[in-house]
Amino acid sequence: MIDLRQLQLFVSVAEELHFGRAAARSGMSQPPFSQQILRLEHELGVALLHRTSRHVSLTPAGMALLVEARALIARRDRIVDMVRRTASGDAGTLRIGFAASSAVGVLPIIVRDLRLALPDVSLQIDDRDGVDIAAAIRLGTLDAAIVRGPFPAKDIMVETLHRDGLVAVLPGSHPLAGRADLAINDLAGDDFILFPRMGAPELYDTIIGLCSGAGFSPAVVQEASAWLSVVGLVEAGLGITIAPALAARGCPQGVAAIPVTGTSNRTELQIAYRQGVDLPRSNGEAFAQRGAVCSNCAGLV
């Protein structure tokens, strides 16, 4: 059976066309080197080289083998390199979860930054609600997740990536749509459209608490689990919503996103990952340490 070492020795002599130089290049003395080439020819049942006392040249079979041997060795080198980079975390697969509320305005940025920082890592993006994200991280079916904080799972590591202000998202026809800013109690008489609490408990509770602090309970007339659905319902005039300020970047022209003043409420964009898991750098912990996530978010608001 042909082994890769024999092919490497053959490539050396095929490129040098001199047994002495090829043996030295391979770190061998010439007699065992020549024996390995003879063994290769015997195993293939063909002559690979024309030999004279002064000259070495390739036979047609040798020329054909040289092309394939180089390709095989290059593939071996790529495999070895990929395995090593996977072990160090520079290659492999990164499974990232997103809650619907956390993806608003930032998903394209995060994916772009990750591809720039880890070009050989295959990204798997998984959109699910906050409860499912915590369970998936515990089970290891997600390496990390981008969530709106505070993330309530005590057994999961969390790091804050960005603190985000809140905006009121109104239909373009709303009487307050032309304002530069507004207070939350300006919206006391409006119908609200929100993410379901199960899908975004932190954001939902922040909005309800904000309204409660202003002396009213919001009339939630519709819930939608996807941001495009929420903003589409707002654009249709069914109500208004409160969202992280990054959402303003993705709003269509038919709606207005207006900063909410008079409150210190800010939502946090966080990365969540399992603690103490010895995985490559594509796992959550080292993924966060790379600083690749949302490196430009701070400049967006």
Side-chain angles (χ1 to χ4, degrees), residues 138-163:
R138 291 189 186 99
L139 290 172
T141 55
L142 287 179
D143 295 315
I146 307 300
V147 296
R148 284 285 165 185
F151 196 63
K154 295 181 180 179
D155 56 337
I156 294 175
M157 295 293 293
V158 175
E159 295 184 27
T160 297
L161 300 172
H162 177 61
R163 290 181 174 85

Side-chain angles (χ1 to χ4, degrees), residues 213-226:
F216 72 97
S217 179
V220 181
V221 297
Q222 183 79 42
E223 293 183 344
S225 58

Side-chain angles (χ1 to χ4, degrees), residues 101-114:
S101 63
S102 67
V104 172
V106 300
L107 180 57
I109 301 167
I110 290 171
V111 170
R112 180 202 63 200
D113 283 359
L114 281 172

Side-chain angles (χ1 to χ4, degrees), residues 89 91-97 110 114-115 118 120-126 141-145 271 280-288 292-293:
T93 299
L94 176 62
R95 300 159 299 178
I96 311 172
I110 290 171
L114 281 172
R115 292 206 178 280
L118 300 169
D120 294 318
V121 171
S122 173
L123 297 180
Q124 293 182 0
I125 308 299
D126 194 335
T141 55
L142 287 179
D143 295 315
I271 180 171
R281 187 160 49 245
S282 57
N283 87 322
E285 182 174 359
F287 167 59
V293 180

Side-chain angles (χ1 to χ4, degrees), residues 163-166 184 206 210 260-268:
R163 290 181 174 85
D164 204 3
L166 296 173
I184 191 65
T206 295
L210 189 61
V260 175
T261 62
T263 174
S264 61
N265 288 70
R266 300 179 72 84
T267 66
E268 291 188 349

Side-chain angles (χ1 to χ4, degrees), residues 6 15 21-22 73 76 113 115 123 132 140 158 163 189 191 221 230 233 239-240 261 265 270-271 282 290 299:
Q6 286 178 320
E15 291 177 346
R21 290 196 299 269
I73 291 167
R76 186 283 311 266
D113 283 359
R115 292 206 178 280
L123 297 180
D132 286 343
V158 175
R163 290 181 174 85
D191 293 333
V221 297
V230 172
L233 293 171
I240 63 98
T261 62
N265 288 70
Q270 298 179 329
I271 180 171
S282 57
R290 289 290 293 252

Side-chain angles (χ1 to χ4, degrees), residues 10 25 30 39 50 52 55 62 70 168 175 186 201 211 250 252 263 296 299:
F10 168 72
R25 167 177 159 179
Q30 186 170 331
R39 187 174 300 167
H50 293 301
T52 69
H55 183 69
R70 281 171 169 164
D186 291 332
C211 296
T263 174
N296 295 317

